[in-house]
Amino acid sequence: MVKQDSYDGEFDELNNVKSLLFIRRNRPGCSAKKWNDWPDEDLEEMESTLAVQQYIQQLIKRNPNDVETILQLPDQQDEGVWKYEHVRQFCLDLNLITVRLQQECTPTTCTQMTATEQWIFLCAAHKNPKECSAIDYTRHTLDGAACLLNSSRYFPSRVNLKDSSVQKLGSVCRRIYRIFSHAYFHHRPIYDHFEKETSLCKRFTKFVTKYDLMTSDSLIVPIDEETNDLCSSNTESDKNEQISSIQENNLEKTQIENENSYHKPSDESEA
Amino acid sequence: MERSDDVLLSNAGMTTNGDINAVMSSSNSSSNNSNTQGNTNSERAANSYSMPGILHYLQHEWNRFEFERQQWELDRAELMTKISFLQGERRGQENLKNNLLRRIKMLELALKQERIKYHKLKFGVDPPPLNTTTSNQNDSKNNQSNDNNDDNDTSTFSISQHPILNKENTASTNAIKQGRQLLKQYLQEIGYTDTIIDVRSARLRALLGKAVANNGQSNDQSNDLLSQSNQLDPLSNLINGNKQLLQLSINNSSNKRASSKTNGNLSSNEVQKILKLTEGESVQNSEENSLSGITGDDKNSSAYYDDEEMSEEDINCKSNGDTDLDTEDALKEFAFLSESSSGSDMESNSDWNVDKAHLSKLTEQYKKDRKMAKNAKMEALVNTSLVNTHRPNRSTLQAMIANLTEQSEDNTNEQNNTNSQTNLNIGNSIKTNDVSPGKNEKIKFNKTNNNNMFFSEDDSFTNESNLGELSRLSVDNSINLSSINDETVVDSSRKTISNKHLLRGHFDSIRCLAFHSTESVLLSGSEDQTIKLWNLDKSTINNKKNSNTDIEPIYTFRKHTGPVLSLLISPSGDYILSSGLDSKIILWNMPNHETTDQYDPYAPSVFVKYLTGHTDAVWNMALVDNTLVSVSADSTIRIWNPFSIDELNEASLTSIGCLNENKTEGIPTSIDFINNEKTRIITSFGATHHNLYDLETSKIITRFDYFDSTLNTHCYKVLSHPSTATMSSSLVVSAHEDKKIRFFDINSGKLVYQMVAHQDACTDIAIDPTCNYLLSSSHDCSIRLWNLETKSCVQEMTSHRKKYDESINCVAFHANKPFIASGGADAIVKIYV
C-alpha cells in the first residue's frame, strides 16, 4: 500500500509538472473539441489576475452539472470577487439561452416579459420604465448587466471590489433570473434542453441562495431537488399573487430609479 | 566621621573612573578627596593612600588629558582643512570669475562689431554713433541694477515689427531647406542614414537620462555644499527656483545681491557640471538637426527651421560631425557667458579690464565660428535658461541672450516698446523652460521626439510616458515660437500611438476585431459568444463631456453558440460576416451606427443567413469584392459568394468551392488574398508551410516552407503585403508561435527575412493602410509597431492582462482613420490614436 501511495504521489507530481509546462492557449486551427483542452490547474497556481474567472470556467468545463463544486468558495478567496466573477459567468452563459430564445420568442409571441400570468416586468434598462417584449427584456437586461459589470465606475477592477459595488450584484441577479423564469414558463422545451446541458438555473438558484442575493420566495423556477416546490408556488392564492405583483412592480420602479442614476453618471448621489 | 563620609560621597561623585573608586573604598572607609588629602587630615590620609593606588590614579589622569589634547588637535586639523578648502574654493571662484568676465567682454565687443557690420551691409552707411555710445554706457553702467533693462532696450526688437527682416528670414529658411534636402540625399546615398540614426537615438537617450541626473545633483550642491547627503528633492527645488525666476523677470529690477550669494556658493565642480550639461545639450541639438534632416521628412525639417526663425541668419550645416563640434564650442562659450554675467552681478565693480590681445583673438575666432554659433543660439537660449533654473538670478542674462538671438539693430526710438516686448520674451522663454530642467530638454525635443520614437526600440515606452507632458508643453511652445508647424503634429500622430479608449463590455477574451472601412465604427468578437458594435465617434463626444463615462456598445449580435473567432465588414459597410467555434459563418446586416442603441427593440432582420458547410471551428476569413474565403479546423478552405443577389434571398448558403478537402496539407490556420486580388490566396497550414493557391484553377502555385522541428512554428496569422514605392516586390508576412515574424518573397516562396518580434508567441499582425507599418500583437502583453522598410520597432505598448497563457489575441488598423485597436484575453478592447 505504501508503495502504491508513493507511486501515486510521483504520478501526481508528474502531472503537476506537465500542467506547469503546458501552455494554455487556443491556437488558430484548433478544433472545437480541443478548445480549452488542457490539464486543470489549482487556483493557487494560476498567476493571472483573472485567475478566478479561469478557475470557475475550468470547473464548469470539467462538469457543468456539479453545481456544488463550482460554487464552493476556495480558501482565502475574496468573496466579493468570487460573487462578481460568478455573476459575470452567469451573464456569459445566458447568452446561449438568449440565442436559442431568439428563434421562437419574438415580440409577437411574447409581447410582455412575464413568468407566471400576473407578473409583468418592466424593462429597467431604459430611462423611463418600459414594457418591453420578452426578448427585448432579455437582451436589454443582459446588455445592461454587461455594461454595469464592466462599468469603470462600479467595477474598475476585477481584483479589488468595493462593498457598495458588490451590493449591485443583487439587482443584477434579480433581473437576470427573470430570463430563467420566462424561459421556464413560456419556452419549456428550450429551457429543459438548456438546463440539461448546463444546469445553469440550478447553479444560479444555489448561488443566490447561498449568498443571499435573492429572497427564496422570488425563486419561482423549480430546480431538480425541489420539484415539489413547483406545486406550492403554483397554488398561491390569486390575492397574494396580485399583491406580490404590485409589490414587484413597485420594487421594479425603485430599481428603475437606481438604473437612472447609473445612466446619468453626473449624478453622484449614489457614489 | 560624618564629615569624612560626606567627602567620600562627593569624591565618588567627582571621580568618573570606577577603578579609582574601587581603590579608594577598598583602602579605607574614611578616605578623602586626593586634592585635599595632604593638607587637611594628613595622618589619616597617609594611612589611606597606597602607592600603587596613587600611581594608578595619576596614570589615569595623564591618559585622560592626553586623550583630550589629541581630540583638540584633531578638531583643529579638521577646521584647518575646512578653512583651506574654502580658501581654495574661493580662489578657484575668483579665477573662474575673471575668465568669465573676460569672455563676456569679448562677446559684447563681438556683438557690437557684428551690429555695426550688419548695419553697414543693410543700409550701406555706418550706424549712428548713438549705437556705440549706448552700448558703452551699458558697459559702464553694468553695475547698476537697471542695466539689464538698458541692455534690452539697445538691442531688442521683435521680428513681427520688422517685415524686412522677416522676409530675409524666410528667404534664408528656404535656402537652408534646399541645403538640408541635398544633405539628406547625400546621406541616403551613402547609406549612412540608419546607423547614424541608431547611434544618435541611443546617445540621445543616454544623454536625456544623464542630463536630468546631473541637474538634480548640481542643484543639490548649490543648495548645500557640505552636506551633500541632504536628500532634497531636486525637482521641487527647481520649481521653486523657477518661480523666483519668473518673478525676477517680471520686476526686472530685483534683489540681485541676495541671489548673487547663491552664486557665491557655486563650486567649480558645479560649473563643470553645467558645462557638461551644455555640451550634452549641444550634442542633442545637433542630433536634432541631423534627425530632422535625415528622416527625410521635409515637413519636419521645415518645421524645425520655422521654429528657429527667431534666430535669424541661421544655420549653415556643413556636415553632422562638424556641427557637433562647432556647436559644442560655441555653446561652451555661451555657458561661460552666462557664468560671467552672473559674476558681473555679483561683483560689478571688479575688473572689467580685459586683456585686449586675448579679446581680439577670441573675437576673430568668434567671427569664424559665427555661423555655427548662431546655429546654437536658440540652443543657448534654452541652455541659459536651463542654467537659470539652478540659480534664479539670471534675468539679466536671459535678456542678453534673448537679444543675441534676435540679433537686432539698435533702435533707440523704439526703446519703450521693445522694452516691454523683451520682458514678454523673457517671460515666454521662462515659461517654456519652466518646471524642471528635464522638461527643458523635452520641450526642445517635442518635435524630434516624435521622430525618435521611430527609432527607439527599447525606450519607446518611457518616451510615451513623457508624451503627456510633451503634448501639453507643445502648446506653450506654439505660443512662444510664432510659427509652429502643425503638419509635424499631424504627421506624428500617425506614428506615435497612445492609449485612448477602453472598451469594456465583453465577458470573456476578445478574439477578433474589425473596423468599418470609412466610419469610426468597430466590431469586436469575443469568447462570450457575442459580437459588439462600438461607435467611436459617439464615445469621443461623450468622453469630452464626461471622462468617466464608459463607452457602451451600440449593438450586441447574439447568434453564435460558441466563441466568435473571425470578423469582417464588407467594403461597402453594409454587411458583417462573422465566424466562430460553432463552425458557423453568419452574414449580418450592419445596423445604422448613428441611430442604433443597444436598448432598442430586437430587430431580427439584422441576422441575414448562415453560410453552412464547415464542420468545425472557422478560424479565419478573407473577403475581396464578392468573394469570401474561410479556413476551418475541419481542414478545408471554402470559397463563398455571400453577397450575390439571388443568393441573398436564400435562408442559408453553401460554398461554391472547397480546397484541401482531402486534408493532405494539414489544418489551415489563416488566410488572405494576395494584393487584394481575388485570383490568388495565401493560406498558412499549422506549423509547417503556407500555400499560395490560384482560386481559378484551385491549384497550389507556390509552397512557402518554414517548418523548424526545434521550434513551435505554428502560424497564427498570414497576411499579404502588396508592393509599395519603397518595397518593389510583394511580400507575405506571417506571425508565429516561436515569437517570430517571417517575411516571404511572393514569387520565389523563399524566406527573405525573419525577426524575433516579441518575447512570446506573436498572435496577430496588421498592416497599416499606407503599407509602411506593421502592427503585431503577442501573448507577452504588448503590441508593437514596426517600420516595414527598416524592420525596426517604432513603438511598443504594453497592455492587456493574461488569462491562461493568452493576453492579446488581435489587432486592427482603421483603413483611413488614425485608429488602432487591440483585443485582449482580459475582455477589454483598447483603442489607440
Side-chain angles (χ1 to χ4, degrees), chain B residues 218-265:
Chain B
S218 50
N219 189 38
D220 263 352
Q221 276 186 349
S222 72
N223 278 334
D224 197 346
L225 253 173
L226 290 170
S227 60
Q228 282 192 354
S229 58
N230 195 357
Q231 296 290 328
L232 282 167
D233 184 10
L235 271 179
S236 65
N237 277 339
L238 286 166
I239 290 161
N240 286 338
N242 272 320
K243 274 181 192 161
Q244 221 175 321
L245 181 62
L246 258 171
Q247 270 185 339
L248 279 165
S249 69
I250 293 160
N251 333 315
N252 230 336
S253 65
S254 54
N255 45 350
K256 273 180 210 154
R257 218 162 279 172
S259 41
S260 65
K261 270 179 196 166
T262 340
N263 272 346
N265 281 341

Side-chain angles (χ1 to χ4, degrees), chain B residues 594-630:
Chain B
E594 273 160 5
T595 56
T596 308
D597 186 87
Q598 61 173 336
Y599 302 123
D600 283 346
Y602 172 56
S605 61
V606 169
F607 169 77
V608 181
K609 62 186 169 186
Y610 290 116
L611 276 63
T612 53
H614 283 298
T615 57
D616 206 334
V618 182
W619 273 94
N620 200 230
M621 300 184 292
L623 180 72
V624 167
D625 296 337
N626 194 21
T627 309
L628 174 79
V629 287
S630 61

